[in-house]
Amino acid sequence: MENFQISGSAGVRQGVLRSLNLRSEEVERTVLMFLVYTLTSVGLIWLELSTVGLFLDEFGADKMPWIYIASAFIGSGLGFVYSWLQKILPLRRTVVVVLAMMSIPLFLFRFGIGYENTKIAGVSIAFITIFLMWLWVEACYVLNDLNTSITSNQLFNIREIKRTYPLVSSGYLVAGVVSGFSLPVLLYVVGLKNVTLISGLMVATGSVLLYYLTEKYSQAFPETAHWTDDDEEDDQEEFTARKVTGPLQKYAVPLVSFFILAEVVYVLIDFQFYSQLEYQNPGDGASWIASFLGIYEGIQGLFQVATQWFASSRLVERIGVFVTAMILPAGIAILGVLTIGASLGQLVSVFIGLILLRFLDELLHYTLLETVSPVLFQPIPDNIRSGIQTLVNGVGEPLSCGVTGVGILIMLFVTGKILPQQDEEVFHDQQSLIFIGAIVILALLWVFVVWLIRSQYVGLLVKSAERGRLGVTDVDLKALKRAVVETLQKPGGEDEKRSCIELLTQIDPKNVGEVLAPILDSLPPVLQRQSLETMLQHPNPAYLESVRALSQQSLPPEVLALALRYIWLTEAEPNIESLRPYLQPTVDPVVRGTAAALIMRRGDRQQKAEATNTLRQMLTHKQERERVMGTRALGEADYLQGLRLYIPNLLQDESLRVRCALLDVISSTHSEEYYPSLLRGLGYKSTREAALQAIVKLHNDAIPLLVYLAEDIHKSDLVRLQAWTALGQIGTVEAIDILVSNLMTAWGTTRRNILRILLKMPSEAGIEGVLDRIGRSGLETLIEQELMFIGQIYAGLVDLSGVTSYGNFSEREANSAREPGNDPAQLLQRALAGLEADARERCFLLMKFLYPLDTVQAAAFNIASGQPSLVARGLEILDNTVDIVRKRSLINLLDQHSEREKLSNLSELMVYKPLAPSDRLRRLLELRHFLSDWALACCFHLAREARWSLTAQQTLVCLQHPTGFVREAVLAYLKIASPRALVELLPRLQNDPDNLVSAQVEEMMAELGAGGKR
């Protein structure tokens, strides 16, 4: 019962994690980061709302533009400070110091608030303090978001961040709910002026929690300062070398305008909201304003959380990116017009209209807009995407905020001159309506900019598709389909159109006919063939008439055959008689074979007999093309019937094309008795590719055959590699299960092959499969295994480094052993060095499952160069990317140290004890399952030359090794070490499958037999 309860709770936990799209090993880091972000955001929101209340009550909204202008310089200034801190402090210290520094001024502000009557240069200390408080709030928001983003990127790799960051970032929305509803209570308990102290305490608590987090996961952060002057100069040169020209420039301009307009409209609405709020003050002062803002923030936060968690991504999927992007500006324009009309008609006050405007802007700005933003950057090439994003977020938005502040001051001055001086409330409402009119105009311009982005977006999608540069994870599918249609319908090169069809097939294969069917008759024959082949993967009766109309035209044989096949597969009651004319000998073999195969599927006895006779004539024809097309047609028939008799002869056909076509037939018809032929086809270069494709078509049915072949140690490495490759190309859940389970138990070349196959699987199915099954912890365990193995290699290199001469040799043998390239000790050392290189490669392959492939590849390339400067750069890349527990051991191992130094750096994983050379050799043989075949053979050659004794178990086991030259080395060792035992073993080895070994056995038997007679 207890076990049932435990398993039940584990099932509930897994269900919750699946609903949150989290893995168990990510939970702790995600929760801690969520708490840090939520705590600091609660403190900052309390501070912001109380500061707004104090500012509006004491100084009025007309001073707010100076806040916007001053805040324009905050972003760039703080970016400089943040970069400077990273130069002098390790990153895990920097993020904590920044958060702690945010809290310190919050405690000091309390002392400046009370000095309303004390002035400096005619300005009260209270005004200066509150002004600085508001600027510091804006600065803290920038720092908090930057800190959270940087820390999350260090704690989570690129695949984890997609799942975890939406939950972490929602901490701000949750903080809005908590802080909003709690602020009135807080004001009642501690008073408005003391809120800064509580805010500082919350931010300080967040910094303490962040310190704990960075200490617990210290391996996720680099140990040294991140940037050097050389790196900065290189990065600057690289960035300035990248130019944005042509269609990309036409896209980048409206894209930057999109975010600038979003910021300008946001600031204008924000200013007018606070301006109206100032005039609605009933006289209770700043506390009423802060309390109102708290309730408003809490209600708004509830809607934001609900929208972000349940609506944003679904809405984008349902209506597309650009319609979603237009919702906010269109909504603002419509609501602004309604506010102006209702206010002029005295139906609704301007204040109510501005509340609704700000609510809409805040709600969609931090939900839909945040969801859409990454997709808008998708068509931009990777090498300049981050630069443009930095330009938008780091320069464009802060600068537009400052410019908007200047614009507000100008508008206030102009409206003050042109509006009639009358009742203050009426004047203020009229002024607000002018601002709302400006907001409506900007919102309409914003909608137009979205339309411009869309028109350029589809063009860039086509260009990206043509160059093979476009990813398929974040693309707006509706826009892509429109782009494909527009590109296929306009004049242009076939290469561009072909790439569009391939991309559409990759992204939405089931609905590709929706785009291709209506335009089939206007495409050139090459693209008609490609389109029909694509549509045949998911035939749909909805497009039957389009294909039937195409088949009535004069078409090339290959296109007509595909059209007939599509009609046959999608028509409810196909007209078999319409296919009989295609059986005539004068018809092209492609069409004739297709028609015969289709008739054999659903014709009556006489029709099937006629089709069978046609195929029989084709299969026995003297011309190769006839036999090839006849053989291919067999794969389309449901039942081979009497034609099965021709398969043995076709397997021996002189034509390679016929034999390859027959392998596909065996797969298509699931002829199990001929499956061994598919496996044999993997062993020959001429038929390997055809056999591989045929086996992959069997899907899960082929898995038992492939597992048997892949695990057969007596097969060649090349054939076993083809079996693993086929499993990877099958790509089903069952195939990935087999690959991952063998990844955990395999070693050496087999593990390397499986890793490469999993990494090459499309859409990162192999990477996600590994992470789902063994997780991050499992991959770290595999890396630790490789590190421990490398440690054993270093131990062997160190202990065997002094082996230079052999006391038991005769002088002739010693001189022979020391000849260049013939020294067994040197051969073994080179073999061990090769094993170390292989283990390093496997470590880098394993890291590619956790981190970006290009980053790991760049690190590997630099480290492999051997040049000190490049090695240092590669190690720095790893230091700033890798966050495994054994990061320090891995980096020290890859550095240019001696074997002894590397052994000491691996002390956490293995304890090195110096051994005598003979003992170290026996220790290596105990690890024989991890050694390569050549290294194992070198061990026996060294033991033979050095006259070192090995255990009987080691010798007998290796005598049964599947590799011939290993058995050959063991026999040579036994000849010296134990001739008597060798005499007993030789008769059992006379029929060895390796010719060299059997010849060696015969020679030894003759030699030992002659010696016995003497």
Side-chain angles (χ1 to χ4, degrees), residues 680-724:
R680 284 194 295 272
L682 293 175
Y684 301 99
K685 183 179 180 180
S686 57
T687 58
R688 183 171 297 135
E689 187 62 31
L692 182 63
Q693 294 178 1
I695 291 173
V696 170
K697 285 178 63 176
L698 290 174
H699 296 291
N700 286 347
D701 291 344
I703 290 179
L705 299 172
L706 294 172
V707 171
Y708 173 78
L709 185 63
E711 295 180 350
D712 187 353
I713 59 176
H714 297 283
K715 296 293 183 182
S716 68
D717 287 342
L718 181 59
V719 172
R720 296 175 67 191
L721 172 61
Q722 297 304 314
W724 293 123

Side-chain angles (χ1 to χ4, degrees), residues 809-827:
F809 287 4
S810 65
E811 183 178 353
R812 178 183 61 80
E813 289 174 324
N815 292 333
S816 174
R818 285 190 290 272
E819 289 177 4
N822 199 32
D823 187 343
Q826 293 181 4
L827 291 176

Side-chain angles (χ1 to χ4, degrees), residues 50 54 58 109-111 113-116 133 187 190-197 287:
S50 58
L54 287 167
E58 296 288 340
F109 286 143
R110 173 64 186 88
F111 300 101
I113 297 175
Y115 291 94
E116 293 90 350
M133 282 173 60
L187 292 174
V190 302
L192 180 62
K193 295 182 179 180
N194 293 319
V195 170
T196 58
L197 300 177
S287 295

Side-chain angles (χ1 to χ4, degrees), residues 65-87:
W66 297 106
I67 295 288
Y68 301 138
I69 295 171
S71 64
F73 302 97
I74 295 294
S76 57
L78 291 178
F80 173 78
V81 172
Y82 210 106
S83 299
W84 175 74
L85 282 175
Q86 291 184 66
K87 290 181 181 179

